[in-house]
């Protein structure tokens, strides 16, 4: 590694510490089970419970730089916003399709909120693990 790369690596290490210090929310991340459903006493289908794959620090974020109101087939207009969830660098258990639920937050409006991870925007010199998400209703 040359001097420039070494300096960048040092700066990134410090930036990771600073980024994680802002992750004051506590979340749980759930994944749909791959186990088959079972049949109940009365023949009802009982899906396998989801798997807890991560519990710990995170931060909710959004890009207000992407306000967009596209016209949907001349029937309606929708408002789009890019939202993210950030996890500490090195978090590997979380992946697209998982559901993030806020258990505790500095922002009481986030508690109980659930979002589904859609896109993993990984890169080499990251300071946190960032995922694009969409609001979801999960029963």
């Amino acid at each position: 590694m040359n001097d420039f790369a070494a300096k960048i690596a040092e700066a990134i290490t410090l930036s990771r510490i600073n980024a994680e210090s802002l992750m004051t929310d506590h979340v749980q991340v759930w994944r749909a089970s791959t186990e088959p459903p079972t049949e109940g006493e009365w023949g009802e289908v009982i899906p396998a419970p989801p798997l807890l794959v991560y519990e710990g620090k995170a931060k909710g974020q959004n890009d207000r730089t992407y306000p967009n109101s596209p016209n949907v087939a001349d029937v309606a207009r929708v408002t789009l916003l890019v939202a993210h969830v950030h996890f500490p660098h090195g978090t590997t258990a979380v992946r697209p399709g998982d559901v993030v639920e806020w258990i505790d937050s500095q922002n009481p409006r986030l508690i109980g909120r659930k979002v589904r991870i859609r896109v993993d925007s990984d890169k080499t010199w990251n300071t946190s693990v960032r995922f694009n998400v969409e609001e979801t209703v999960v029963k």
Side-chain angles (χ1 to χ4, degrees):
M1 188 180 305
N2 66 29
D3 285 347
F4 179 71
K7 288 179 183 178
I8 292 296
E10 184 179 320
I12 292 294
T13 298
L14 181 58
S15 296
R16 287 174 179 157
I17 293 167
N18 288 329
E20 189 170 339
S21 74
L22 296 175
M23 296 177 199
T24 58
D25 295 347
H26 183 86
V27 301
Q28 292 179 333
V29 180
W30 298 90
R31 180 173 302 141
S33 175
T34 58
E35 296 294 318
T38 58
E39 186 175 323
E41 182 179 344
W42 301 99
E44 71 275 16
V45 175
I46 302 170
L51 307 170
L52 180 65
V53 295
Y54 175 86
E55 183 168 9
K57 296 179 178 186
K59 176 179 78 166
Q61 193 73 29
N62 64 56
D63 289 339
R64 296 208 183 263
T65 58
Y66 278 112
N68 192 357
S69 296
N71 189 336
V72 181
D74 289 328
V75 176
R77 293 183 72 76
V78 296
T79 301
L80 303 177
L81 176 72
V82 178
H84 314 268
V85 177
H86 299 190
F87 296 94
H89 170 74
T91 301
T92 58
V94 180
R95 66 180 188 217
D98 292 346
V99 173
V100 179
E101 179 179 4
W102 269 262
I103 305 303
D104 192 31
S105 176
Q106 298 293 318
N107 179 355
R109 291 170 39 121
L110 287 176
I111 298 171
R113 181 178 181 199
K114 294 179 182 178
V115 296
R116 185 172 309 279
I117 294 175
R118 284 293 168 217
V119 179
D120 179 354
S121 58
D122 229 351
K123 59 185 182 177
T124 300
W125 295 103
N126 65 357
T127 56
S128 63
V129 178
R130 297 177 179 97
F131 292 97
N132 285 5
V133 298
E134 66 184 16
E135 196 83 22
T136 187
V137 176
V138 181
K139 295 183 181 188

